[in-house]
């Protein structure tokens, strides 16, 4: 068992380095980093076997259970047969108390793929940003066409599966601050997902997030505050993890999501060639920002040995903000300084508050006001 405090919480497996659609805001393909071009299109059986060996070792080495998420690109580009072989290989070393999930755009979902996921005890989360008018502005195909109808077809298949309640874990939606938040909330809830993850757009001090006029503006907080009020007044709401975490943290509890609160999360990315890297959202800061100086691979390194290195610890501590403003902020225990990628500025790296600092403060203030009205304060 691990004698170290640093353990793994999540491993993202990049099982496909390409995608079948071309979302304009994608940090993998449309933020300037070209690293995916040098990766195998699909993960090989040899790399899968190496990953399984390393995961088996990790299970014995650390006390904490960890989650595995198949990511991409689009993981369903593996096709049903390759996917089944991969998932069943993972399940030979990971028992059912180790969650395995797939993040998909839903376009390639088929009854056969859903049966494979059911057999391997896998959950699926589908990326959809709202109704067609919202979704199709950014989540487009290779020829610029909208993908909403195809995503809805996939979600419909997922909901019609006999074990849909276990398979369908939720929806991931990237916020469009120019959309109507009430329309988006009611639409996504109407899809029947048990949870919705709303995500901030990628962006930083040198390249402001889409829709933000300045670092001091609060377009995203205004959007999310409307959702907050709908959420709190809804007698049968889906779970919204981001808001749940901020509410719990405001009341002195613990969060569950990276980017808020002061909990620490050990995250590995394993690419289709077996190389091990940092959280790949860092790609949106500068090309190669997600790469370690040391070239680590599941073909030649134990994950536990990587965890014990100074370089991994330096990456691990990136979760904590270094900016003076953050260190003295009374809301740091709630906000957590935000995601590292949002702190980036070209001339001084990550030594800044989040580009969403003003949004976070405004949203936390809105939550505190509503908790106070409800008689819930700390």
């Amino acid at each position: 068992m691990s004698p170290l405090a640093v353990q793994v919480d999540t491993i993202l497996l990049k099982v496909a380095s390409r995608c079948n659609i071309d979302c304009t805001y994608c940090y993998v393909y449309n933020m300037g980093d070209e690293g995916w071009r040098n990766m195998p299109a699909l993960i090989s059986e040899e790399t899968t076997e190496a990953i399984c060996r390393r995961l088996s070792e990790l299970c014995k080495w650390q006390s904490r259970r960890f989650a595995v998420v198949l990511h991409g690109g689009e993981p369903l580009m593996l096709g049903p047969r390759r996917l089944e072989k991969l998932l069943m290989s993972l399940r030979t070393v990971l028992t059912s108390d180790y969650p395995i999930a797939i993040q998909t755009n839903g376009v390639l979902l088929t009854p056969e793929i859903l049966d494979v996921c059911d057999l391997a005890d896998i959950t699926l989360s589908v990326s959809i940003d709202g109704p067609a008018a919202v979704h199709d502005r950014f989540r487009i195909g290779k020829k610029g066409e909208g993908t909403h109808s195809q995503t809805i077809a996939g979600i419909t298949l997922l909901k019609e599966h006999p074990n849909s309640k276990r398979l369908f874990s939720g929806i991931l939606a990237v916020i469009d601050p120019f959309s109507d938040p009430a329309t988006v909330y009611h639409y996504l809830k109407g899809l029947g997902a048990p949870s919705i993850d709303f995500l901030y757009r990628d962006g930083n001090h040198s390249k402001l997030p889409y829709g933000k006029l300045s670092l001091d503006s609060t377009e995203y907080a205004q959007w999310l505050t409307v959702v907050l009020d709908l959420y709190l007044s809804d007698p049968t709401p889906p779970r919204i993890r981001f808001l749940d975490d901020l509410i719990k943290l405001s009341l002195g509890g613990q969060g569950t999501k990276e980017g808020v609160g002061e909990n620490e999360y050990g995250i590995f990315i394993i690419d289709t060639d077996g190389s091990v890297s940092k959280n790949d959202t860092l790609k949106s800061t500068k090309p190669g920002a997600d790469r370690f100086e040391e070239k680590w691979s599941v073909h030649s390194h134990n994950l536990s040995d990587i965890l014990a290195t100074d370089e991994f610890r330096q990456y691990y501590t990136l979760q904590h903000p270094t900016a003076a403003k953050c260190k003295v902020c009374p809301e740091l225990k709630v906000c957590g300084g935000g995601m590292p990628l949002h702190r980036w500025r070209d001339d001084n790296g990550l030594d800044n508050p989040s580009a969403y600092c003003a949004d976070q403060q405004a949203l936390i203030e809105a939550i505190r006001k509503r908790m106070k009205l409800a008689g819930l304060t700390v």
Side-chain angles (χ1 to χ4, degrees):
M1 186 176 296
S2 166
L4 304 173
V6 178
Q7 297 194 27
V8 176
D9 296 278
T10 304
I11 295 176
L12 267 66
L13 297 185
K14 297 284 186 171
V15 299
S17 63
R18 274 63 168 171
C19 192
N20 58 318
I21 65 174
D22 189 26
C23 303
T24 57
Y25 53 59
C26 182
Y27 64 84
V28 178
Y29 306 106
N30 292 314
M31 286 283 186
D33 188 291
E34 298 286 313
W36 61 273
R37 294 186 183 276
N38 300 317
M39 293 292 165
L42 300 174
I43 196 168
S44 68
E45 289 187 22
E46 181 185 8
T47 297
T48 298
E49 290 170 2
I51 289 171
C52 289
R53 287 196 301 272
R54 301 311 180 192
L55 294 183
S56 179
E57 294 163 353
L58 188 62
C59 290
K60 298 171 185 175
W61 182 81
Q62 73 170 41
S63 58
R64 186 183 303 171
R65 297 289 187 270
F66 54 85
V68 173
V69 181
L70 273 61
H71 216 272
E74 169 51 49
L76 298 189
M77 290 181 76
L78 280 176
R81 297 281 66 82
R82 282 176 178 260
L83 181 64
E84 180 177 14
K85 191 161 188 176
L86 171 67
L87 293 178
M88 298 313 293
S89 295
L90 290 173
R91 277 295 177 219
T92 62
V93 296
L94 298 176
T95 54
S96 59
D97 52 343
Y98 285 84
I100 302 178
I102 294 176
Q103 183 64 49
T104 175
N105 57 43
V107 170
L108 299 177
L109 278 172
T110 64
E112 187 178 8
I113 284 176
L114 291 170
D115 286 342
V116 166
C117 293
D118 188 27
L119 178 67
D121 193 19
I122 309 302
T123 60
L124 298 103
S125 176
V126 181
S127 299
I128 181 170
D129 293 345
V134 177
H135 180 95
D136 285 346
R137 288 188 66 191
F138 306 100
R139 297 190 63 81
I140 58 177
K142 301 293 186 178
K143 298 180 180 179
E145 74 280 13
T147 61
H148 179 267
S149 61
Q150 295 168 283
T151 300
I152 288 297
I155 290 175
T156 300
L157 284 176
L158 178 52
K159 289 168 62 178
E160 289 175 346
H161 192 276
N163 285 332
S164 63
K165 287 187 177 180
R166 189 192 63 75
L167 286 168
F168 193 9
S169 64
I171 281 169
L172 184 151
V174 177
I175 296 170
D176 176 359
F178 295 108
S179 67
D180 177 59
T183 298
V184 172
Y185 175 81
H186 289 302
Y187 181 80
L188 295 181
K189 178 188 174 182
L191 294 178
S195 68
I196 304 170
D197 255 356
F198 286 113
L199 299 185
Y200 285 142
R201 291 289 184 99
D202 291 341
N204 53 58
H205 288 251
S206 294
K207 186 177 181 180
L208 285 177
Y210 171 81
K212 276 188 69 66
L213 292 176
S214 72
L215 291 171
D216 296 324
S217 62
T218 58
E219 293 86 354
Y220 284 78
Q222 293 171 45
W223 196 95
L224 282 165
T225 298
V226 174
V227 173
L228 173 68
D229 286 332
L230 293 166
Y231 187 46
L232 293 175
S233 63
D234 191 338
T236 57
R239 296 187 306 275
I240 300 180
R241 186 170 58 168
F242 181 54
L243 293 180
D244 284 347
D245 275 0
L246 288 179
I247 291 169
K248 286 186 289 185
L249 288 160
S250 296
L251 294 171
Q254 295 290 316
T256 61
K257 183 177 173 62
E258 181 198 13
V260 296
E262 295 185 302
N263 284 354
E264 298 172 323
Y265 300 93
I267 299 172
F268 275 133
I269 308 295
I270 302 178
D271 268 305
T272 54
D273 66 346
S275 59
V276 182
S277 60
K278 307 173 187 177
N279 194 324
D280 67 336
T281 59
L282 293 169
K283 290 177 184 287
S284 68
T285 61
K286 65 175 182 177
D290 61 322
R291 294 289 165 182
F292 291 107
E293 292 182 12
E294 181 75 20
K295 292 185 178 180
W296 291 322
S297 169
V298 294
H299 293 289
S300 52
H301 297 88
N302 292 328
L303 296 178
S304 57
D305 291 340
I306 300 173
L307 284 169
T309 64
D310 289 339
E311 192 175 11
F312 184 86
R313 288 178 175 277
Q314 291 169 8
Y315 155 57
Y316 190 75
T317 60
L318 290 182
Q319 296 172 75
H320 301 292
T322 58
K325 179 180 179 180
C326 293
K327 289 184 175 181
V328 300
C329 179
E331 296 295 5
L332 180 59
K333 289 185 177 180
V334 180
C335 169
M339 295 286 285
L341 69 113
H342 296 139
R343 302 180 205 142
W344 178 264
R345 198 172 75 196
D346 290 346
D347 60 351
N348 71 342
L350 297 172
D351 191 24
N352 307 286
S354 171
Y356 287 105
C357 177
D359 294 281
Q360 289 285 82
Q361 291 192 27
L363 182 57
I364 292 168
E365 181 181 0
I367 287 171
R368 290 198 183 281
K369 286 181 178 179
R370 285 149 182 78
M371 295 301 99
K372 185 175 181 180
L373 286 173
L376 300 171
T377 58
V378 292

